[in-house]
Amino acid sequence: QKEVEQNSGPLSVPEGAIASLNCTYSDRVSQSFFWYRQYSGKSPELIMSIYSNGDKEDGRFTAQLNKASQYVSLLIRDSQPSDSATYLCAVIRAAGNKLTFGGGTRVLVKP
Amino acid sequence: ETGVTQTPRHLVMGMTNKKSLKCEQHLGHNAMYWYKQSAKKPLELMFVYNFKEQTENNSVPSRFSPECPNSSHLFLHLHTLQPEDSALYLCASSQDEAGQETQYFGPGTRLLVL
């Protein structure tokens, strides 16, 4: 079982709709969770970090964490063509600073 | 700009060459990382340095040799690489404190080994 799993996509979303991305992780002691966006040929850039159960909103982005079910999700509201990218889920265990990445979900927002 | 710079941005080298990748962070962080990103593979952690000390070597072949002279600079020395080592090499930095583990990435060096 992979430590961090994501559907590779592509997730095709009409402009203006909500894109919903999911990520599951295998290590129950994981404490810190991150979503990064990576455009083709570029480096990952942080969108959101979340540490406790529940929702965290930042602009058009909402991260949701459920530690009991070991999943973290990202919602993108009012999707724009500029949101077309690969979204990477990353997890840090309780101790240390080793960041484990999922394979990423490619999102395509169609005008 | 994230405050993490990398040079060179592109590198082509032969299997017998020796080259070095450089990373510099201007964020006052005390942890630095090297990652490898190959096509269709997740980002792979290679090395971690905390306060200039190597704390993680993720079973990386010895043809990759990291160096961290201070908390702001990180190098990756390359020698006798293989074509399968062609990838995007990313440097990142973070503050090694609970709740401040967010890692910020540099632009990467795209490496091609011929």
Side-chain angles (χ1 to χ4, degrees):
Chain A
Q1 183 186 9
K2 294 179 183 176
E3 292 184 57
V4 181
E5 290 208 58
Q6 298 180 252
N7 188 318
S8 61
L11 176 65
S12 187
V13 179
E15 184 175 358
I18 296 175
S20 178
L21 293 78
N22 294 315
C23 170
T24 58
Y25 58 94
S26 60
D27 193 337
R28 281 198 168 274
V29 302
S30 299
Q31 293 293 322
S32 306
F33 306 86
F34 306 85
W35 282 100
Y36 285 83
R37 177 177 61 199
Q38 187 174 25
Y39 292 112
S40 181
K42 303 293 185 182
S43 62
E45 55 179 323
L46 181 74
I47 295 176
M48 186 87 72
S49 59
I50 187 166
Y51 300 92
S52 54
N53 282 327
D55 295 1
K56 180 180 178 182
E57 186 175 318
D58 184 359
R60 294 187 296 111
F61 298 99
T62 299
Q64 299 172 317
L65 175 61
N66 184 323
K67 290 186 179 180
S69 301
Q70 294 177 234
Y71 83 79
V72 55
S73 61
L74 181 71
L75 300 178
I76 308 173
R77 289 183 300 281
D78 188 24
S79 295
Q80 302 297 309
S82 59
D83 294 326
S84 298
T86 296
Y87 289 81
L88 304 172
C89 173
V91 174
I92 291 182
R93 298 182 68 185
N97 51 6
K98 179 180 175 181
L99 194 59
T100 302
F101 282 86
T105 298
R106 193 156 70 96
V107 172
L108 295 174
V109 181
K110 297 186 175 181
Chain B
E1 294 295 327
T2 61
V4 182
T5 59
Q6 290 186 244
T7 54
R9 296 291 305 275
H10 301 272
L11 179 62
V12 180
M13 59 187 288
M15 289 190 284
T16 58
N17 292 156
K18 288 184 180 181
K19 297 286 184 184
S20 295
L21 309 185
K22 179 183 176 182
C23 175
E24 184 174 359
Q25 59 96 0
H26 309 275
L27 301 169
H29 289 163
N30 47 40
M32 296 187 77
Y33 312 80
W34 279 116
Y35 288 88
K36 176 184 177 182
Q37 189 173 37
S38 305
K40 299 184 179 179
K41 278 188 170 183
L43 267 166
E44 301 172 64
L45 179 66
M46 299 175 73
F47 301 104
V48 180
Y49 277 83
N50 288 299
F51 295 96
K52 304 187 300 177
E53 299 297 320
Q54 189 181 127
T55 57
E56 184 93 23
N57 177 337
N58 211 22
S59 303
V60 180
S62 59
R63 58 186 183 269
F64 295 92
S65 175
E67 179 190 359
C68 188
N70 54 60
S71 295
S72 300
H73 294 85
L74 185 64
F75 295 89
L76 188 62
H77 304 298
L78 316 172
H79 66 99
T80 60
L81 293 193
Q82 305 297 311
E84 60 264 30
D85 296 323
S86 300
L88 180 67
Y89 288 85
L90 291 160
C91 174
S93 72
S94 72
Q95 197 73 322
D96 186 24
E97 292 178 20
Q100 296 192 51
E101 306 99 334
T102 300
Q103 294 183 22
Y104 296 91
F105 285 84
T109 295
R110 188 158 294 283
L111 173 66
L112 177 62
V113 181
L114 300 177

